[in-house]
Amino acid sequence: MLKGYVLVTGGTGYIGSHTVVELLNNDYKVVIVDNLCNSKALVVDRIEKIAHKRPDFIEADVRDKEKMREIFKNYPIDAVIHFAGLKAVGESVEKPQLYYDNNIGSTEVLLEVMKEFNCKNIVFSSSATVYGNPKRIPIFEDDPTGEVTNPYAETKVKIEIILKELAKIDSSMNIAILRYFNPIGAHKSGLIGEDPNGIPNNLMPYITQVAIGKLPFVHVFGSDYKTKDGTGVRDYIHVVDLALGHVATLKKLEQNPGLVIYNLGTGIGTSVIELIEAFKMANKIDIPYRIEGRRPGDIDECYANCDKAFREMGWKTKYNMVDCCKDSWNWQSHNPKGYEE
Ligand code: NAD
Ligand code: WQD
């Protein structure tokens, strides 16, 4: 068990907040750094309510090197989990430079400061998006990456390259690249969850906003994909399972493995229509939808082979689609306006 702190960048965000809860549940000491560009400080209170412990929180931009140096001076940091980043694919096409600066820039600063303070362990939030349009399904970790079509995905590919180079030149570093598939769901308490700004880009928050009556129906983007029912197939993973994957990864890093790369998904492909039907059934709420044209850039199918994470870390998912749908709705129905009070 690490004796010092775990620095969680982006720790008030969707995946970060759930991970902080599980870290505290597992007796890790946590300090969060977040600039709140896509989250609220109130999340820290909610985390405390769930975990009965309060993580330290510092409002700062990870690109601010002096501030990051100050944090490393004040806390004995043994490991970093680096969630901080911008993640909207459409926005990244409009503002590529913002994405390069924020996502790649923050990682570069973080790695420089970690080096200065001799911090050897980092977990990075990568994404299934690095596989682009996958050559085979399910996707294995050593399948090709890099042929991507939007700046958001490019930042993940570039950061993976930086981390792989670092692993080559510094064998004392322990680096985990985690490729998340599609996180959905929320903590059982309904106190933390996904709180998108404006109209959601992703399917599950769109469904929950239809369920609550904020939006009239789901636009199903395309029914002519090469899939079981023609709609897009993805690997939806409960966010708490994903959070627990980070706890398992920290334990793995304690064995000094050098560079490790894991898919974090369920291994199950679910279509858009199946997700809508599962939500209706789990929550007994009708979800009207309309089949429309494809969304540019979308692929037919994307789901993971997750055997490696189980083999090497003993991690596998424990929540199913019913849990995902119930917990997403529990969060949305108790927080119709998200974190806005
Ligand atoms: P999120 O937007 O909810 O959380 C990211 C957090 O980082 C936010 O709280 C934001 O305020 C903060 N942040 C952004 N830039 C920062 C900076 N420069 N300095 C300090 N804080 C900054 O997103 P999330 O869904 O929790 O995603 C977390 C990570 O996982 C991201 O790196 C994302 O790319 C990656 N990821 C997400 C998904 C997904 O579908 N949610 C899938 C794969 C990978
Ligand atoms: C899922 C399916 C859509 C919305 C994105 C990013 C990816 C990763 C996760 C960060 C697709 C369909 C969606 C809607 C729909 N993020 N859909 N109506 O596109 O798999 O992945 O989030 O790394 O990089 O690209 O997720 O939830 O947007 O879409 O029919 O209103 O639902 O076409 O088949 P996606 P999503």
Side-chain angles (χ1 to χ4, degrees):
M1 175 90 186
L2 302 170
K3 289 192 202 73
Y5 278 76
V6 180
L7 173 69
V8 182
T9 76
T12 45
Y14 174 45
I15 308 171
S17 56
H18 288 83
T19 301
V20 169
V21 165
E22 300 309 327
L23 290 173
L24 295 172
N25 286 346
N26 280 276
D27 293 327
Y28 287 95
K29 295 194 280 282
V30 175
V31 52
I32 295 172
V33 176
D34 200 301
N35 65 1
L36 304 179
C37 71
N38 198 36
S39 57
K40 305 258 162 44
L42 170 71
V43 172
V44 182
D45 299 337
R46 301 283 181 95
I47 292 172
E48 184 181 15
K49 256 195 190 155
I50 299 171
H52 306 294
K53 285 178 209 164
R54 193 174 177 84
D56 286 1
F57 170 65
I58 294 154
E59 184 178 341
D61 194 302
V62 180
R63 288 168 295 178
D64 183 343
K65 193 168 179 184
E66 273 322 300
K67 190 78 196 172
M68 294 305 289
R69 294 183 76 240
E70 196 185 307
I71 296 167
F72 273 79
K73 262 185 213 151
N74 291 339
Y75 290 89
I77 294 169
D78 283 344
V80 179
I81 305 182
H82 183 34
F83 292 106
L86 301 173
K87 63 166 182 177
V89 173
E91 185 188 52
S92 82
V93 175
E94 281 159 32
K95 303 174 186 166
Q97 203 54 47
L98 174 70
Y99 274 67
Y100 302 139
D101 287 349
N102 193 76
N103 293 6
I104 302 171
S106 65
T107 308
E108 284 171 342
V109 167
L110 187 59
L111 292 173
E112 283 162 17
V113 178
M114 284 177 70
K115 183 171 181 191
E116 188 178 333
F117 287 84
N118 209 29
C119 180
K120 297 291 183 190
N121 302 302
I122 181 166
V123 181
F124 172 62
S125 300
S126 190
S127 166
T129 195
V130 300
Y131 296 113
N133 196 348
K135 303 278 173 297
R136 64 165 170 177
I137 292 288
I139 306 169
F140 288 73
E141 285 84 350
D142 50 9
D143 284 354
T145 60
E147 264 188 52
V148 297
T149 53
N150 65 76
Y152 166 70
E154 284 168 24
T155 68
K156 294 295 178 193
V157 169
K158 180 78 202 297
I159 295 166
E160 285 203 3
I161 292 170
I162 293 171
L163 292 170
K164 288 173 191 166
E165 284 301 315
L166 176 61
K168 269 191 215 153
I169 59 173
D170 183 352
S171 61
S172 69
M173 286 297 294
N174 296 305
I175 300 171
I177 292 174
L178 300 181
R179 296 181 182 146
Y180 314 150
F181 281 68
N182 291 56
I184 58 171
H187 191 268
K188 283 256 172 286
S189 62
L191 287 167
I192 55 174
E194 187 170 12
D195 182 18
N197 281 326
I199 295 177
N201 297 311
N202 296 116
L203 181 58
M204 184 54 106
Y206 206 103
I207 292 174
T208 60
Q209 293 204 6
V210 170
I212 201 118
K214 249 189 183 174
L215 296 166
F217 59 88
V218 177
H219 305 256
V220 174
F221 297 145
S223 59
D224 57 352
Y225 285 104
K226 283 190 233 91
T227 60
K228 41 189 154 187
D229 60 17
T231 65
V233 165
R234 299 290 184 271
D235 187 338
Y236 296 96
I237 174 173
H238 196 294
V239 67
V240 174
D241 275 328
L242 193 55
L244 290 166
H246 292 76
V247 177
T249 304
L250 280 186
K251 294 198 161 66
K252 177 74 188 174
L253 292 190
E254 283 172 44
Q255 300 165 5
N256 294 318
L259 173 73
V260 287
I261 302 178
Y262 298 112
N263 285 341
L264 296 186
T266 62
I268 299 167
T270 304
S271 75
V272 175
I273 297 295
E274 284 175 333
L275 187 66
I276 294 173
E277 292 302 331
F279 187 93
K280 281 162 82 169
M281 195 111 86
N283 296 308
K284 315 255 177 308
I285 299 172
D286 189 35
I287 303 292
Y289 66 83
R290 286 190 199 164
I291 308 270
E292 297 181 2
R294 290 182 175 205
R295 182 173 66 178
D298 275 354
I299 55 176
D300 302 72
E301 285 196 295
C302 177
Y303 57 91
N305 177 291
C306 301
D307 294 351
K308 190 177 176 208
F310 182 61
R311 217 169 40 241
E312 297 189 8
M313 306 197 291
W315 173 88
K316 64 174 183 268
T317 55
K318 53 183 191 191
Y319 296 105
N320 61 25
M321 187 49 82
V322 176
D323 300 313
C324 287
C325 292
K326 282 189 170 168
D327 294 342
S328 288
W329 177 234
N330 185 44
W331 153 253
Q332 180 76 80
S333 54
H334 286 95
N335 304 269
K337 293 182 174 169
Y339 287 109
E340 203 181 296
E341 281 176 317

